[in-house]
Amino acid sequence: MEPRLPNLAKSCAAFERATQLIPGGVNSPARAFGAVGGHPLFIERARGQYLFDIDGNRYLDYIGSWGPMILGHADPRVIEAIQRAAEKGTSYGAPTENESRLAELILRAVPSIERVRLVNSGTEATMSAIRVARGVTGRSGIVKFSGCYHGHVDSLLVAAGSAAATLGVPDSPGVTPGVSSDTIVLNYNDADAVAQAFDSHGEKIAAVILEPIVGNMGTVIPTKTFLETLRRETSKHGSVLIFDEVMTGFRVAYGGAQSLFGIEPDMTTLGKIVGGGLPLAAYGGKAEIMDQVMPAGKIYQAGTLAGNPLATAAGAKTLEILRDEPPYQQLENLGAQLAAGLESAAKRAGIPAQMQRVGSMMTLFFSEAEVTDWPSADRCNRKRFSDYFWGLIENGVYMPCSQFEALFFSNCHTHEDIELTIAAAERVLAKMANN
Ligand code: KE4
């Protein structure tokens, strides 16, 4: 039987109601289906590799809450850790040993982090890292790369990726010229531009921040020269190199992207997986930098719910499972199978596409050429992506709702799930080719 759009009546009604209460009916634009049209699906529950919407439809989940759910949804060990923490109370406003337990797991996983501060979101992590870099260097300039997204920090919401790029507001209203004037935006993978920026402004640059593997313009992989240039120029000019590993941390490897590339940043931001799906993120780095953060030093950063007992319980349990039962080889094998299947399905359909992947994060770009930076990502065929997205929804497969995102899968996804996904993509892409 020809797949057809599932019954979405309850989601439609729920969305109508939500739009009367919440801007755009969502609490984060990335969920708004802005790039693919239609309305978002309202989720009732999730388990393992599956999402279930409020109309009772089941989907194979390839968003994983935009990255955190590497162990799949509602992992019983994580749920039990949260339940046990909740029975003791939900927040104390005082330190707990679980914060040190999670901090220790992070320091052991990521050797470049000698001190770490827990916060509530990736945005808070990058915002704080930028402030610390400016505080320790006494400089204002920040270098970022177009298409990279580091959360909705004013100084970084310039030429941003993710939903900002998807919805066409990479330079959001409300970000003042005074704030963005300290931000230098370069093209990702342009090592020469990095060297030139430092030649011209080196003494003003407090930090360079980048996604060491980009997920927020779709999956874009750095060249060795690019990373080596960044490390060399920041060291030479006394600027702080910040790897924003909110997405790649514990995703592409237990030690993050930096462990794959053998490049040590001065600071790292983490999020998503580190909180086990609860609101927790972190920033950290060399002790000589981090010990300048209050109350050890003078650079202020704080948070009522930072290091929250439930979030640290979920995060610590998640990292312990990833440390003791590393899923990365299995994720690599399934990732390779999925990438090869999707790429050959597009080729068989005669649809130009580029598959770009690291481990269990990847993107099928509807592009004639390789995607190496935002200008090349921006040339992708957005309409084709939208048809591909909805065609897969008809087949019970839930992909990220934007060409400028990475898909993720979990260690609950099976070889059969991957086969089913590839078969669905073959049907969808073949139908697209005939339309
Ligand atoms: P949050 O503030 O959303 O927790 O983290 C911001 C952030 C920082 N750095 C990187 C590399 C990120 O990918 C993110 C958030 N990622 C997006 C999805 N690509 C979050 C989805 C959303 O905004 O709803």
Side-chain angles (χ1 to χ4, degrees):
M1 184 182 77
E2 185 69 5
R4 55 175 187 71
L5 209 52
N7 165 26
L8 301 176
K10 287 183 179 172
S11 271
C12 192
F15 184 60
E16 285 313 309
R17 175 175 177 245
T19 53
Q20 307 306 312
L21 305 164
I22 302 166
V26 291
N27 282 305
S28 188
R31 310 170 192 165
F33 280 26
V36 295
H39 61 69
L41 309 185
F42 278 61
I43 301 304
E44 170 75 31
R45 63 187 177 92
R47 179 164 292 282
Q49 67 271 52
Y50 296 114
L51 288 172
F52 300 84
D53 71 17
I54 59 175
D55 287 287
N57 303 303
R58 189 189 79 171
Y59 304 93
L60 255 181
D61 180 18
Y62 283 98
I63 289 193
S65 176
W66 301 102
M69 310 320 295
I70 193 168
L71 297 178
H73 293 285
D75 180 290
R77 299 161 295 184
V78 176
I79 297 297
E80 197 252 343
I82 296 168
Q83 283 169 332
R84 284 174 51 188
E87 282 155 13
K88 295 193 277 182
T90 55
S91 180
Y92 316 124
T96 65
E97 290 186 286
N98 250 352
E99 291 160 76
S100 303
R101 175 178 159 222
L102 178 55
E104 199 160 53
L105 283 159
I106 292 169
L107 268 57
R108 290 192 175 159
V110 189
S112 70
I113 298 179
E114 297 171 346
R115 295 279 187 287
V116 69
R117 172 60 64 83
L118 305 179
V119 293
N120 299 291
S121 71
T123 295
E124 257 198 275
T126 59
M127 173 181 74
S128 307
I130 293 293
R131 181 179 313 129
V132 171
R134 285 172 161 159
V136 301
T137 60
R139 301 174 185 174
S140 308
I142 297 294
V143 173
K144 80 169 290 279
F145 299 90
S146 54
C148 284
Y149 177 71
H150 304 290
H152 61 94
V153 198
D154 275 11
S155 57
L156 300 175
L157 209 46
V158 178
S162 186
T166 300
L167 301 170
V169 282
D171 308 311
S172 169
V175 176
T176 60
V179 167
S180 54
S181 62
D182 285 326
T183 306
I184 301 168
V185 182
L186 303 177
N187 258 359
Y188 198 82
N189 273 323
D190 189 341
D192 293 342
V194 169
Q196 282 154 20
F198 273 94
D199 285 347
S200 313
H201 311 288
E203 72 294 343
K204 286 186 225 143
I205 296 174
V208 176
I209 185 167
L210 73 149
E211 295 179 60
I213 297 164
V214 187
N216 287 297
M217 56 176 128
T219 306
V220 172
I221 298 159
T223 64
K224 192 166 182 299
T225 304
F226 177 61
L227 291 181
E228 287 171 349
T229 303
L230 285 168
R231 185 61 282 179
R232 184 185 68 245
E233 292 298 326
T234 47
S235 300
K236 191 168 121 187
H237 291 271
S239 305
V240 177
L241 178 59
I242 304 172
F243 274 10
D244 177 358
E245 297 226 40
V246 164
M247 188 183 282
T248 53
F250 303 102
R251 167 59 61 180
V252 297
Y254 190 64
Q258 57 193 272
S259 70
L260 297 180
F261 298 133
I263 299 256
E264 267 214 358
D266 302 306
M267 295 181 79
T268 299
T269 53
L270 297 167
K272 298 182 192 277
I273 292 173
V274 77
L278 266 66
L280 184 143
Y283 70 98
K286 305 264 179 275
E288 72 200 35
I289 293 176
M290 289 300 292
D291 282 342
Q292 298 191 47
V293 178
M294 211 174 242
K298 296 187 174 2
I299 302 170
Y300 196 73
Q301 178 267 313
T304 303
L305 297 175
N308 173 272
L310 276 63
T312 50
K317 178 54 71 181
T318 298
L319 296 199
E320 284 163 355
I321 294 166
L322 292 172
R323 178 197 63 193
D324 300 340
E325 306 162 25
Y328 299 101
Q329 189 53 57
Q330 174 197 343
L331 294 174
E332 172 56 30
N333 298 342
L334 290 178
Q337 181 194 357
L338 179 60
L342 295 179
E343 194 165 33
S344 63
K347 197 169 287 177
R348 252 203 301 284
I351 293 178
Q354 307 292 322
M355 170 52 78
Q356 298 180 193
R357 173 183 78 89
V358 179
S360 59
M361 73 180 267
M362 68 185 84
T363 301
L364 185 69
F365 288 101
F366 287 93
S367 164
E368 305 274 349
E370 189 190 1
V371 175
T372 57
D373 55 17
W374 172 244
S376 51
D378 194 25
R379 286 193 287 272
C380 284
N381 186 320
R382 290 164 166 81
K383 169 73 171 62
R384 274 196 178 137
F385 179 84
S386 175
D387 294 344
Y388 169 72
F389 172 82
W390 281 109
L392 286 173
I393 288 284
E394 289 176 3
N395 283 270
V397 175
Y398 193 113
M399 285 288 177
C401 48
S402 165
Q403 173 71 96
F404 309 120
E405 296 286 0
L407 75 77
F408 305 100
F409 63 88
S410 75
N411 70 346
C412 292
H413 285 69
T414 65
H415 170 79
E416 291 67 33
D417 293 327
I418 300 300
E419 290 294 305
L420 182 151
T421 304
I422 293 166
E426 282 167 351
R427 287 193 296 275
V428 170
L429 289 159
K431 193 172 158 191
M432 284 165 58
N434 297 332
N435 286 351

